[in-house]
């Protein structure tokens, strides 16, 4: 019996797989520029032609993109296909932002649950540092910075979940928050009493994850997003009421002016 020859994988394939793994695990982050071809080849201990071929494979699969004269950058390939169209929807239909918050109530709860189960000491250290950054922004009285640190805290939770799909979806969705596509986070943090309350929410989530209490972590994260959801709904309702009242006043004033100008 003649056995078929086993084909040896090209080195570029192994390099591509290693870089894929680093992207999926979040070691190489979306938007991050890769080192130069020479530096990366040295770090991976491969030839530049093999690295170049590996990068071409990754670009063809949509994991990286090469910008003319600017280098090679990591893409968030898992979330890009979802978040790009969503950004347009949210800009045209602001009310859809509430559906996003409602979705995050489940998503963040799952992330916190798995982070409590799977988080390593290094994950705990990172989460602690992210929370300390929120506290620092809070002490500075900077709502905009505090909101930014909020997003970074939730990404650290997704990283600690050790679920690559959760990580990339959360990272992509929070990018919409960073750009205030969904709602102005600084306005949320600027509401009276909100900064103290949100800080306490994050403390409860962190404590539950660090103590390994998965159910408690999930419930704390879900309760946090439920509060944000209700706050935004109340704000939207108040804005709608104010708009209706304003239009009623304008109509009354127009009718009054018309009556006063009519001599009959």
């Amino acid at each position: 019996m003649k056995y078929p020859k086993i084909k040896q994988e090209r080195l570029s394939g192994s390099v591509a797989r290693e870089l894929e793994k680093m992207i999926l695990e979040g070691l190489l982050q979306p938007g991050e520029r890769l080192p130069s071809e020479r530096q990366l080849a040295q770090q991976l201990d491969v030839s530049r032609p093999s690295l170049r071929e590996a990068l071409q494979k990754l670009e063809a699969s949509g994991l990286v993109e090469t910008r003319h004269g600017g280098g090679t950058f990591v893409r968030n390939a898992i979330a890009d296909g979802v978040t790009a169209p969503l950004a347009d929807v949210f800009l045209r239909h602001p009310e859809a932002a509430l559906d996003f918050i409602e979705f995050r109530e489940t998503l963040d709860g799952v992330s916190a649950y798995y982070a409590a189960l799977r988080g390593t000491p290094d994950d705990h250290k990172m989460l602690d540092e992210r929370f300390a950054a929120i506290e620092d922004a809070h002490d500075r009285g900077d709502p905009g910075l505090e909101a930014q640190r909020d997003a970074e805290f939730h990404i650290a939770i997704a990283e600690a979940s050790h679920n690559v799909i959760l990580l990339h979806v959360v990272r992509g969705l929070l990018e919409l928050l960073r750009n205030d596509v969904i709602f102005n986070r600084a306005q949320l943090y600027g509401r009276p009493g909100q900064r103290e309350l949100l800080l306490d929410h994050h403390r409860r989530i962190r404590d539950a994850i660090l103590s390994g209490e998965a159910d408690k972590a999930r419930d704390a994260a879900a309760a946090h997003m439920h509060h944000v959801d209700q706050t935004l709904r109340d704000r939207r309702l108040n804005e709608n009421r104010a708009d209706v009242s304003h239009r009623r006043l304008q109509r009354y004033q127009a009718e009054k002016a018309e009556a006063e100008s009519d001599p009959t």
Side-chain angles (χ1 to χ4, degrees), residues 126-168:
M126 176 62 73
L127 193 61
D128 228 4
E129 290 184 359
R130 293 299 191 193
F131 178 73
I134 295 178
E135 286 186 307
D136 179 64
H138 182 273
D139 292 341
R140 293 187 191 186
D142 188 337
L145 179 61
E146 194 168 355
Q148 174 65 28
R149 298 295 178 253
D150 178 334
E152 294 169 353
F153 176 80
H154 286 284
I155 289 175
I157 293 174
E159 290 174 339
S161 76
H162 291 275
N163 181 303
V164 296
I165 302 300
L166 269 176
L167 170 60
H168 287 271

Side-chain angles (χ1 to χ4, degrees), residues 91-203:
L91 289 173
R92 292 194 303 271
H93 305 280
E95 67 278 3
L98 297 176
D99 291 336
F100 168 86
I101 300 300
E102 190 175 69
F103 171 67
R104 273 198 59 198
E105 187 174 330
T106 299
L107 187 68
D108 284 27
V110 171
S111 292
Y113 179 87
Y114 285 120
L117 288 179
R118 302 170 177 171
T120 67
D122 283 342
D123 291 324
H124 291 174
K125 182 178 179 182
M126 176 62 73
L127 193 61
D128 228 4
E129 290 184 359
R130 293 299 191 193
F131 178 73
I134 295 178
E135 286 186 307
D136 179 64
H138 182 273
D139 292 341
R140 293 187 191 186
D142 188 337
L145 179 61
E146 194 168 355
Q148 174 65 28
R149 298 295 178 253
D150 178 334
E152 294 169 353
F153 176 80
H154 286 284
I155 289 175
I157 293 174
E159 290 174 339
S161 76
H162 291 275
N163 181 303
V164 296
I165 302 300
L166 269 176
L167 170 60
H168 287 271
V169 171
V170 168
R171 195 191 295 278
L173 293 176
L174 288 178
E175 189 62 31
L176 298 177
L177 279 180
R178 277 200 183 98
N179 297 325
D180 287 330
V181 170
I182 300 170
F183 65 91
N184 190 316
R185 294 171 299 128
Q187 288 183 13
L188 174 66
Y189 268 82
R191 291 171 64 91
Q194 284 298 308
R195 294 177 58 239
E196 289 72 20
L197 186 57
L198 294 173
L199 179 64
D200 184 59
H201 285 179
H202 290 120
R203 182 181 291 108

Side-chain angles (χ1 to χ4, degrees), residues 2 11 14 19 23 105 116 157 161 165 172 177 213 251 257 261:
K2 187 176 181 181
L11 179 58
S14 298
L19 291 172
I23 292 171
E105 187 174 330
I157 293 174
S161 76
I165 302 300
L177 279 180
E213 298 175 273
R251 178 176 176 177
S261 63

Side-chain angles (χ1 to χ4, degrees), residues 37 52 55 68 110 119 128 203 224 231:
E37 187 179 283
R52 195 175 301 124
L55 291 176
H68 183 65
V110 171
D128 228 4
R203 182 181 291 108
H224 166 59
T231 300

